[in-house]
Amino acid sequence: LLFFFLFFLSVSMSSSSSSGSRAIDITTLSLQQLEQVKTSIDEDLERMTESQNQLKEAIARYLSCKETLQSLTEENRNKQIFIPLTDSLYVPGYLDDPSNVLIDVGTGYFLQKDTKGAAAYYDRRIDKVKGKANEIQAVINAKRKNVEAIVMVMQQKIAQISQSDPMSKFGFPVPVQE
């Protein structure tokens, strides 16, 4: 005895979550179509998870920069420090003015800020990136639920085929009676 559930799957018209979407009654799709939709959603999930991981790395970098600001005190004036030029290249330098810093705002642009202004900048960036990460997480959760619904319908269809055609589960064609 099979129960047919009516699921509506929100399928994105493109890979962007901001574009329009349409509802599809997935119980009307064939197994092959369900597999194609599932594969597409799995690929979207992989890309979104990768994007979310990159956002988490960005948050960690911003937090690290904010923590570094706390070590800039008057006690460290004229002390030798290592200045990061890249993620793996540091050059020696001296801390001349611990109350003013240059912050990297991206694409080779820097702003001079006092340490409080720099901390506020990093707080805003952290909040913005966390917001984007939360938006992506919500989409990931919805897509995972869609995959679960697809898998459930696929299992129901396979069970229905097995019940109606016992030889099909062994890969044998059913003899046609004339």
Side-chain angles (χ1 to χ4, degrees), residues 90-142:
Y90 292 79
V91 296
Y94 290 91
L95 183 59
D96 182 44
D97 184 5
S99 62
N100 288 303
V101 295
L102 288 177
I103 57 173
D104 184 356
V105 293
T107 62
Y109 290 97
F110 294 86
L111 293 176
Q112 183 174 351
K113 296 263 188 190
D114 64 356
T115 53
K116 288 182 183 179
Y121 169 80
Y122 288 125
D123 285 336
R124 287 190 308 273
R125 295 300 301 167
I126 290 167
D127 290 343
K128 185 175 183 175
V129 175
K130 279 183 179 178
K132 292 292 181 188
N134 289 339
E135 288 175 17
I136 290 176
Q137 185 61 50
V139 174
I140 287 172
N141 291 342

Side-chain angles (χ1 to χ4, degrees), residues 3-171:
F3 294 98
F4 289 99
F5 296 98
L6 187 60
F7 292 101
F8 287 97
L9 172 65
S10 178
V11 176
S12 184
M13 298 299 276
S14 69
S15 62
S16 172
S17 63
S18 64
S19 65
S21 61
R22 60 188 166 113
I24 298 175
D25 179 1
I26 60 175
T27 60
T28 63
L29 299 177
S30 69
L31 279 174
Q32 183 179 6
Q33 291 170 322
L34 287 169
E35 184 61 37
Q36 289 171 347
V37 172
K38 182 182 173 299
T39 300
S40 174
I41 293 174
D42 285 340
E43 290 170 358
D44 286 347
L45 278 170
E46 188 176 319
R47 282 191 300 273
M48 289 181 157
T49 302
E50 184 178 321
S51 295
Q52 188 178 40
N53 289 338
Q54 290 172 351
L55 291 176
K56 287 179 182 179
E57 289 172 10
I59 291 169
R61 284 192 304 271
Y62 286 135
L63 287 170
S64 175
C65 290
K66 189 176 173 193
E67 288 174 15
T68 301
L69 288 173
Q70 295 172 353
S71 68
L72 300 177
T73 62
E74 278 297 321
E75 298 163 351
N76 294 329
R77 182 182 290 273
N78 296 323
K79 287 190 177 177
Q80 187 174 11
I81 60 171
F82 286 102
I83 302 166
L85 294 180
T86 65
D87 286 340
S88 60
L89 178 62
Y90 292 79
V91 296
Y94 290 91
L95 183 59
D96 182 44
D97 184 5
S99 62
N100 288 303
V101 295
L102 288 177
I103 57 173
D104 184 356
V105 293
T107 62
Y109 290 97
F110 294 86
L111 293 176
Q112 183 174 351
K113 296 263 188 190
D114 64 356
T115 53
K116 288 182 183 179
Y121 169 80
Y122 288 125
D123 285 336
R124 287 190 308 273
R125 295 300 301 167
I126 290 167
D127 290 343
K128 185 175 183 175
V129 175
K130 279 183 179 178
K132 292 292 181 188
N134 289 339
E135 288 175 17
I136 290 176
Q137 185 61 50
V139 174
I140 287 172
N141 291 342
K143 287 189 178 278
R144 284 184 178 151
K145 287 181 182 178
N146 289 342
V147 168
E148 289 173 11
I150 289 171
V151 168
M152 196 161 124
V153 170
M154 289 174 75
Q155 289 172 345
Q156 290 173 352
K157 287 186 179 274
I158 290 169
Q160 182 183 21
I161 290 170
S162 296
Q163 285 178 354
S164 66
D165 187 2
M167 295 304 284
S168 67
K169 60 183 160 186
F170 300 111

